[in-house]
Amino acid sequence: GRLVYQDPIDPACLLAQSFSTTFSFSILTNGSYGTCGSGMAFFISPSREAPNGSIAGGLGLDVYRTEPFSLLNPLPPPPEPFFAVEFDTRLSPAYNDSSHSHIGIDLNSLVSAAAVDTNNVSFPELYLYNNYRFTTWIDYEAATGSIQVRMTNATASNTSAIPDRPSRPILEFRHNI
C-alpha cells in the first residue's frame, strides 16, 4: 500500500524547509524474522509515485535492484532525490543494514546515513517483529539540518489515544545543507 500527498515537492525544496509529522503503524508478522516483507518507509520525494522498477527490499525507493547488488558494482545516484525514514524488517548486507529490525535515515540512498538497531536489548519495546502498533514522530529543522526520530510502542500503552511523545529521540542525524 501507499499513501501519497496530493502536491509534489520541488526537488530544490526537498530539505530546505522544516517539517514535523507523526503517524502510527503496525507491521504484522508471524513473530519471527525473515518471514515477512521488508518493512516500510516514510519518504519525501518530488515524485508522486514510487520509482519505476523499485521492488521488494528496496522499500519502494531503490530503482536499481533488478539484479543482485554487488559491492564491486556500486549503484548510481537515484533519478530523483529523496529523504526517507525506513522501518526495516530485513537484513540486507548490500545496504549495510545492522540487523533485521532497524530504523534508518536515508538521504538519496538506502544505505542509511544513520541507523538504530531495534533488535538491541536497549529497545525491546521497539522490536519490529512483535506485531506492535508504533507511533513515530519525525522532525526536521532546516536551519540546522537536524533530523530527529522519536518512536514509542503504542500497543504497550493499551489505549487508542496517541501516546505521549518521548522526550529523547531514538535516532538523530545532522544533515549538512
Side-chain angles (χ1 to χ4, degrees), residues 61-167:
L61 299 172
D62 186 353
V63 299
Y64 305 105
R65 284 299 295 261
T66 56
E67 59 187 61
F69 177 87
S70 165
L71 294 177
L72 300 175
N73 184 21
L75 300 175
E80 301 270 7
F82 69 86
F83 160 81
V85 176
E86 64 177 53
F87 303 89
D88 201 342
T89 57
R90 184 169 303 265
L91 175 62
S92 300
Y95 300 128
N96 296 330
D97 290 346
S98 59
S99 79
H100 56 269
S101 179
H102 64 276
I103 301 165
I105 294 172
D106 301 346
L107 302 169
N108 303 322
S109 170
L110 285 176
V111 175
S112 297
V116 62
D117 181 354
T118 61
N119 191 40
N120 186 308
V121 294
S122 301
F123 301 105
E125 72 281 0
L126 299 180
Y127 185 62
L128 297 174
Y129 280 93
N130 285 344
N131 299 325
Y132 293 139
R133 181 173 45 92
F134 301 104
T135 300
T136 299
W137 294 261
I138 301 171
D139 300 298
Y140 175 68
E141 177 57 50
T144 63
S146 174
I147 302 165
Q148 296 185 334
V149 179
R150 289 173 171 80
M151 189 166 160
T152 190
N153 181 330
T155 302
S157 66
N158 202 19
T159 178
S160 61
I162 295 176
D164 292 336
R165 175 185 166 112
S167 60

Side-chain angles (χ1 to χ4, degrees), residues 48-61:
R48 295 178 80 186
E49 298 291 329
N52 288 331
S54 60
I55 58 171
L59 298 171
L61 299 172

